[in-house]
Amino acid sequence: MENNRKTARKISRLLVVLMLIFVVSPLSSKAATNNSTVPQIDNVKTNVITTEGNDSVELLKESAPNSEVIIQIPSHSTVTILDKGSEYTHVSYDDPNTGEALTGYILNTNLADPTQSTSDTSEANDDKSTNAAEVKDDKSTDTAEAKDDKSTDTTVLEGNNNSTASTDISEQEKQSAATNNVSSDTSSTVTTKRLAQTKTVKSVVVKSDTEISYQALQGIALKSPTNVYQAQDANSSVLKSYAQGSLLKYEAPVQQWYKCTVILNGKPTPGYIYASDVETTDDSENVLIGTALKNPTNVYSEPSLDSKVLKSYAQGKQLKYNQQPKTDWYDCTVIINGVATHGYIKAEDVENVTTEQKSLKGIGLNAPTKIYSKASDSSKTVKTYAQGSVLKYKTFTSDWYVCTVIVNSKKITGYIKKNDVENIVDSQQSLKGIGLTSPTHVYSKASSSAQVLKNYTQGSILKYKTFTSDWYECTVIVNGKKITGYINKNNVENIVESQNSLKGIGLTSPTDVYSKASSSAKVLKNYAQGTVLQYKTFTSDWYECTVIINGSRVTGYIKAGSVDNVVSPQQNMRGIAQKSATKVYSKASTNSKVLKSYSRYTILSYKTFTTNWYECKVYVNGVPTTGYIQKGDVSTQKEINYNISLSEAVAMQMKASPKADGLGTVDATADQVEYYLNPNNFAQNSSEYFQFLLLSSYSGTTASELNNNILKGEGVLEGHGQAFITAAKTYNISELYLISHSFLETGHGTSQLAKGVKINGVTVYNMYGIGATDGNATQNGAQYAYDHGWTTIDKAIIEGAQFVSNNYIHNGQDTLYKMRWNPAGMEEKGYANHQYATDVGWAVKQTSTLSALFNELTIYTLLFEVPVYTL
């Protein structure tokens, strides 16, 4: 009895299959319509279908995108349909490894149509050259391709995938068309004429009496139904019919008609579609692929958030849609109850996937670093990696990378959050450095929590390559084998690429040279404080040098803080001795031998050397010897104390009839005298401070600098720079002062005395206004020049300087201030005497010019002397 029931069930199932084949594959040439009865498919066996790049399908515990995966079912495995839903089908699968019957859910798009006939299979949705497809909810897909279309250029967003024979008969024709390699007719039903743009243009060669190249097209059925005729005649037999909105493929050999192929009784049959019955899709639209950003990401019936939500997708889902110019919406097509329906996605709800993916390599930053099933951190984690693991991936979106991982020996597409990895540099650079830590670790991964492969002592010289922002890559030998390792950047310091030779002095007592760049390393040699040493740049804290040990040259290291570098280039300078015994030492150290001493206020010549020392030459027993002066022992300024008060000095000056103007016609007040007489009224960094500049020596300029930067365009003085230098060196006077003085007295080389005045038929010149007393200044000044034989400009410059030097500069009045006020004379005699001018502003009036002259030069020395009056 039980055997009879089993036999009856087998016969019943066979009849169901035969009925399905009969419904799907009509035996007549009459039009096949979309009004067939929907067959019962529960408990029918079918095969699983994988997507491109995958060889297995997930069996889910629940009918949800983020459900737990029970097992990976290999491609083309057989499952039994228990109950078919709108997106997921409840199936049973016999695991061949364990023999266990497993039940779970599979996406509809991962199942072959159980009603499909091998002799009459729809070519519309599985044609390997089709240009339209549906987005799948396959968690391991790399790009959202639908229905196993391997060359899809446009994807129709998936809706409820329970399309049946009654909804779309052409779904059952695709396999045979693909097998016979003929143009297919795609039959996804849509509610509007608009579908995603596809790249449909290709050349199809048809053999006939002549060889003709046709254009392959794709379009939408406009009529209900849209017929395929046997001939190019609307009165001919109808081979097949499609619902309005079906996506069809055809060729265009004849005007007003398109040629196509349909499957009848399992055989490809040529047919024709009237041109006005279809609308060819527009190739000008821009197809985009992106990922859903929101959870959920909605597809709306209209480009409005207030419109009906047609379908929703999980965050990270890959979608395809069309670019709409000048709008913030994309349009797309979703499948709802087997019908292709036009919809809209808000542009800000998706992010486009990069069109040209770039392969990258990086390291995991997190512990662990997760690989997700979708481009969403709320999706399932398919795999994890330890911090510092080297990973390979490709660019995907602004926040995500796409990669391939192996799970249960199967390749699966996954997604890595950009913030969870750091890219390895494109072009690695070889470097050399020293270990900073004690010890310096080399790790198996770019993570301080990874296994330590090897240790090095502090200061060891290591070789490595750039890797990431925080890590270097290196090779170490472990048990005789080369192994790749990683060094934390903070644990090493790079050696300078190009070493510079330096010279300096030892600062410590003693100054040590170590065997490694570490103060805990062995000391090879040491030197006395102040010893001049030679070395090369190495790292920020260490110098490299060579020392002689037992007659052999050995590389050593000096701590940067233990030496002070000699400045380069060294500059000649002059200064004023500040101590009663200003010492010159044999080394740049106060602990060294004293070579010579100088009294306070002695003007000394020396060169820049280090931060705290000057270098100089002194004669010891007639032999020139290099010595060193401590910087604090000399200065560019000195103060001279006078034993008179400022008020006493003002009273003395008032008795000498001071003037408030250069012509000597306006008497000065006591307040005016006090202002110019008081040194405290003039700031050290001001131009007026130059009235305290010592004028008693050559300032160290060059003739070319004077001619090019100062004397150019200055009347008859132009080009006479060498004369001023000769005068300065001959009479120990500042050449800048002489120029400033001549500018003031000759109106910048334009006065009559400067250009020449004839006396007794001889032209004479006067550059400093010497003898040009009030009343008849020009005649008196010319007579003075005639009496002294100043018959050329150079003679007037050089020999006139002798008068200024002898009578003022080297007579104790070696600043403009002392030339005007002569404080030493007031202190000695008790009244104002031997003053160069009566104008209270005479000294200050020259300082702006003098300061400007020095600003035009690059080579000079400034020494100042400031008077100090008692209270």
Side-chain angles (χ1 to χ4, degrees):
M1 189 69 179
E2 179 61 25
N3 290 336
N4 290 339
R5 282 197 294 270
K6 289 182 179 179
T7 302
R9 282 199 296 271
K10 290 182 180 178
I11 294 173
S12 176
R13 289 178 181 174
L14 179 61
L15 288 174
V16 169
V17 172
L18 290 174
M19 287 175 66
L20 288 172
I21 294 174
F22 180 80
V23 171
V24 172
S25 306
L27 301 178
S28 68
S29 62
K30 290 184 180 181
T33 68
N34 293 323
N35 298 319
S36 301
T37 304
V38 179
Q40 174 63 40
I41 62 173
D42 292 351
N43 297 314
V44 173
K45 293 185 179 297
T46 188
N47 294 332
V48 296
I49 301 172
T50 58
T51 56
E52 182 179 5
N54 296 289
D55 52 10
S56 64
V57 171
E58 294 176 341
L59 179 65
L60 305 176
K61 189 173 183 180
E62 300 175 354
S63 56
N66 298 322
S67 170
E68 177 185 343
V69 177
I70 299 173
I71 195 172
Q72 295 282 347
I73 302 177
S75 177
H76 304 302
S77 297
T78 301
V79 296
T80 302
I81 297 176
L82 302 178
D83 181 35
K84 186 167 185 180
S86 60
E87 291 188 59
Y88 295 87
T89 296
H90 193 199
V91 301
S92 173
Y93 170 64
D94 294 330
D95 187 353
N97 297 322
T98 63
E100 183 182 2
L102 305 173
T103 60
Y105 295 87
I106 295 179
L107 279 166
N108 294 345
T109 50
N110 288 134
L111 291 175
D113 192 338
T115 64
Q116 200 165 255
S117 170
T118 57
S119 63
D120 186 13
T121 306
S122 169
E123 58 182 280
N125 287 335
D126 201 23
D127 182 357
K128 296 299 184 291
S129 61
T130 183
N131 291 305
E134 298 179 358
V135 169
K136 295 173 41 192
D137 277 325
D138 182 0
K139 295 187 179 182
S140 63
T141 185
D142 196 17
T143 55
E145 299 180 3
K147 307 283 186 180
D148 203 24
D149 183 359
K150 296 297 187 295
S151 61
T152 300
D153 289 310
T154 302
T155 299
V156 180
L157 295 175
E158 180 194 17
N160 297 323
N161 292 321
N162 56 351
S163 175
T164 64
S166 64
T167 305
D168 192 352
I169 294 290
S170 67
E171 281 288 317
Q172 302 153 21
E173 298 179 349
K174 59 185 177 183
Q175 294 293 346
S176 295
T179 303
N180 288 281
N181 194 24
V182 295
S183 174
S184 65
D185 58 303
T186 304
S187 60
S188 298
T189 306
V190 296
T191 57
T192 72
K193 297 179 183 179
R194 301 179 64 187
L195 277 181
Q197 175 267 346
T198 63
K199 298 177 181 177
T200 57
V201 179
K202 67 177 180 178
S203 219
V204 179
V205 179
V206 179
K207 297 290 185 180
S208 59
D209 294 336
T210 61
E211 191 173 82
I212 305 173
S213 180
Y214 297 132
Q215 184 182 34
L217 302 174
Q218 180 173 279
I220 303 168
L222 296 181
K223 289 192 174 181
S224 181
T226 295
N227 297 324
V228 177
Y229 298 92
Q230 187 177 31
Q232 298 172 22
D233 184 352
N235 295 319
S236 64
S237 298
V238 175
L239 298 179
K240 200 162 186 179
S241 296
Y242 293 94
Q244 184 184 43
S246 296
L247 189 62
L248 308 176
K249 288 186 177 181
Y250 40 81
E251 300 164 8
V254 182
Q255 189 176 7
Q256 295 183 338
W257 287 89
Y258 294 124
K259 182 181 178 181
C260 66
T261 300
V262 294
I263 305 300
L264 293 179
N265 300 324
K267 296 181 180 180
T269 304
Y272 300 91
I273 304 173
Y274 198 58
S276 62
D277 289 353
V278 291
E279 179 183 357
T280 300
T281 56
D282 184 6
D283 281 344
S284 65
E285 292 182 273
N286 182 22
V287 172
L288 301 173
I289 299 175
T291 60
L293 295 180
K294 290 192 172 181
N295 196 14
T297 296
N298 296 326
V299 178
Y300 298 88
S301 60
E302 300 293 337
S304 169
L305 297 176
D306 296 328
S307 63
K308 178 183 177 182
V309 174
L310 299 177
K311 194 162 186 183
S312 297
Y313 293 92
Q315 186 183 48
K317 178 65 181 169
Q318 288 187 49
L319 309 174
K320 285 190 178 181
Y321 37 80
N322 299 329
Q323 175 75 61
Q324 293 299 306
K326 298 181 180 179
T327 70
D328 55 356
W329 289 83
Y330 296 124
D331 73 355
C332 61
T333 300
V334 293
I335 306 299
I336 299 178
N337 298 323
V339 178
T341 305
H342 186 226
Y344 300 88
I345 303 174
K346 187 75 173 170
E348 64 187 31
D349 292 351
V350 290
E351 180 179 3
N352 298 333
V353 175
T354 180
T355 55
E356 295 184 5
Q357 288 184 294
K358 180 182 177 183
S359 295
L360 300 170
K361 190 163 66 168
I363 62 168
L365 297 179
N366 294 342
T369 298
K370 297 179 180 180
I371 310 296
Y372 297 91
S373 61
K374 290 186 175 67
S376 168
D377 51 14
S378 62
S379 66
K380 183 181 69 174
T381 299
V382 297
K383 199 162 188 176
T384 60
Y385 290 92
Q387 186 184 50
S389 297
V390 177
L391 307 173
K392 292 182 179 180
Y393 39 81
K394 292 180 181 179
T395 52
F396 189 62
T397 67
S398 62
D399 293 324
W400 290 87
Y401 294 121
V402 63
C403 64
T404 300
V405 294
I406 306 297
V407 178
N408 297 327
S409 302
K410 306 295 182 183
K411 289 185 177 180
I412 295 179
T413 297
Y415 302 89
I416 308 173
K417 199 160 187 176
K418 278 193 176 182
N419 292 339
D420 292 349
V421 290
E422 181 182 359
N423 295 336
I424 296 169
V425 294
D426 289 334
S427 179
Q428 289 182 282
Q429 179 185 0
S430 295
L431 300 170
K432 190 165 67 169
I434 62 168
L436 295 180
T437 55
S438 181
T440 298
H441 298 307
V442 177
Y443 297 92
S444 60
K445 288 184 172 63
S447 169
S448 54
S449 61
Q451 177 191 358
V452 175
L453 297 177
K454 204 161 187 177
N455 291 320
Y456 292 92
T457 58
Q458 186 183 51
S460 297
I461 296 179
L462 307 174
K463 292 182 179 180
Y464 40 80
K465 292 188 291 185
T466 52
F467 190 64
T468 67
S469 62
D470 293 324
W471 291 88
Y472 292 122
E473 184 183 67
C474 66
T475 300
V476 294
I477 306 297
V478 179
N479 297 326
K481 294 182 180 180
K482 290 185 177 180
I483 298 178
T484 299
Y486 303 92
I487 306 173
N488 194 295
K489 282 192 176 182
N490 292 331
N491 294 343
V492 290
E493 181 179 1
N494 296 335
I495 297 169
V496 294
E497 292 183 14
S498 179
Q499 290 181 283
N500 296 322
S501 295
L502 300 171
K503 186 169 69 171
I505 60 168
L507 294 179
T508 56
S509 181
T511 299
D512 295 322
V513 177
Y514 297 91
S515 60
K516 286 182 179 173
S518 169
S519 54
S520 60
K522 177 184 176 183
V523 175
L524 298 176
K525 203 165 187 177
N526 50 47
Y527 294 91
Q529 185 185 50
T531 302
V532 176
L533 305 172
Q534 291 185 332
Y535 39 81
K536 292 187 292 184
T537 53
F538 189 64
T539 67
S540 62
D541 292 327
W542 290 89
Y543 293 118
E544 185 182 68
C545 65
T546 300
V547 293
I548 306 298
I549 306 292
N550 298 325
S552 299
R553 297 169 67 88
V554 179
T555 298
Y557 303 92
I558 305 173
K559 197 162 181 65
S562 297
V563 290
D564 189 10
N565 296 332
V566 174
V567 296
S568 180
Q570 290 180 271
Q571 181 183 357
N572 291 320
M573 298 185 68
R574 287 186 306 130
I576 304 167
Q578 295 295 306
K579 291 187 175 181
S580 56
T582 298
K583 299 174 182 178
V584 178
Y585 297 90
S586 60
K587 286 185 171 65
S589 168
T590 54
N591 295 324
S592 65
K593 178 183 177 182
V594 176
L595 299 177
K596 205 163 188 176
S597 294
Y598 292 92
S599 60
R600 190 179 187 189
Y601 297 143
T602 302
I603 295 178
L604 303 174
S605 295
Y606 42 81
K607 291 190 295 184
T608 53
F609 188 62
T610 66
T611 306
N612 297 309
W613 291 87
Y614 293 120
E615 184 184 67
C616 65
K617 289 284 185 182
V618 294
Y619 283 85
V620 179
N621 299 323
V623 178
T625 305
T626 299
Y628 303 92
I629 305 172
Q630 198 168 28
K631 278 194 173 181
D633 292 351
V634 290
S635 172
T636 58
Q637 177 174 307
K638 66 178 180 179
E639 294 182 346
I640 301 297
N641 295 301
Y642 295 101
N643 193 27
I644 56 172
S645 66
L646 183 62
S647 60
E648 289 173 334
V650 171
M652 293 179 195
Q653 291 294 333
M654 288 302 295
K655 293 179 181 180
S657 303
K659 303 298 179 184
D661 65 330
L663 298 177
T665 59
V666 180
D667 291 334
T669 65
D671 288 341
Q672 289 173 320
V673 171
E674 182 178 2
Y675 175 78
Y676 287 104
L677 190 62
N678 187 355
N680 296 328
N681 289 330
F682 307 100
Q684 186 169 355
N685 295 325
S686 66
S687 61
E688 291 88 350
Y689 201 75
F690 274 80
Q691 66 182 303
F692 307 119
L693 179 69
L694 285 169
L695 308 175
S696 52
S697 61
Y698 169 50
S699 297
T701 62
T702 64
S704 60
E705 276 213 310
L706 293 180
N707 289 331
N708 295 330
N709 298 344
I710 292 177
L711 297 176
K712 195 169 185 178
E714 299 294 342
V716 299
L717 299 174
E718 184 173 352
H720 291 274
Q722 186 57 53
F724 283 106
I725 290 176
T726 300
K729 289 181 176 180
T730 302
Y731 300 109
N732 292 320
I733 192 170
S734 169
E735 68 275 30
L736 271 298
Y737 161 69
L738 292 176
I739 292 173
S740 175
H741 194 153
S742 66
F743 281 178
L744 180 66
E745 297 294 344
T746 66
H748 291 265
T750 61
S751 71
Q752 191 61 52
L753 275 174
K755 291 188 290 186
V757 177
K758 280 191 176 183
I759 299 291
N760 300 326
V762 178
T763 301
V764 293
Y765 304 87
N766 192 328
M767 298 302 166
Y768 305 112
I770 301 170
T773 55
D774 295 340
N776 194 351
T778 300
Q779 188 63 33
N780 294 341
Q783 186 63 51
Y784 191 95
Y786 179 80
D787 293 342
H788 290 78
W790 298 344
T791 55
T792 66
I793 293 174
D794 282 357
K795 277 189 174 184
I797 292 172
I798 297 170
E799 295 180 14
Q802 182 181 22
F803 172 85
V804 178
S805 177
N806 291 343
N807 288 278
Y808 291 93
I809 303 302
H810 291 285
N811 192 30
Q813 293 172 261
D814 53 356
T815 67
L816 291 172
Y817 181 91
K818 288 195 289 185
M819 289 174 69
R820 170 59 187 90
W821 302 108
N822 192 14
M826 289 191 290
E827 181 185 43
E828 180 184 356
K829 298 182 180 297
Y831 59 88
N833 63 92
H834 202 261
Q835 298 179 148
Y836 197 88
T838 58
D839 183 3
V840 293
W842 180 85
V844 172
K845 287 178 181 178
Q846 294 188 74
T847 57
S848 59
T849 301
L850 192 58
S851 172
L853 294 181
F854 277 105
N855 287 336
E856 294 294 328
L857 302 176
T858 58
I859 303 173
Y860 57 84
T861 300
L862 300 177
L863 299 174
F864 297 92
E865 180 185 293
V866 181
V868 178
Y869 295 98
T870 61
L871 297 177

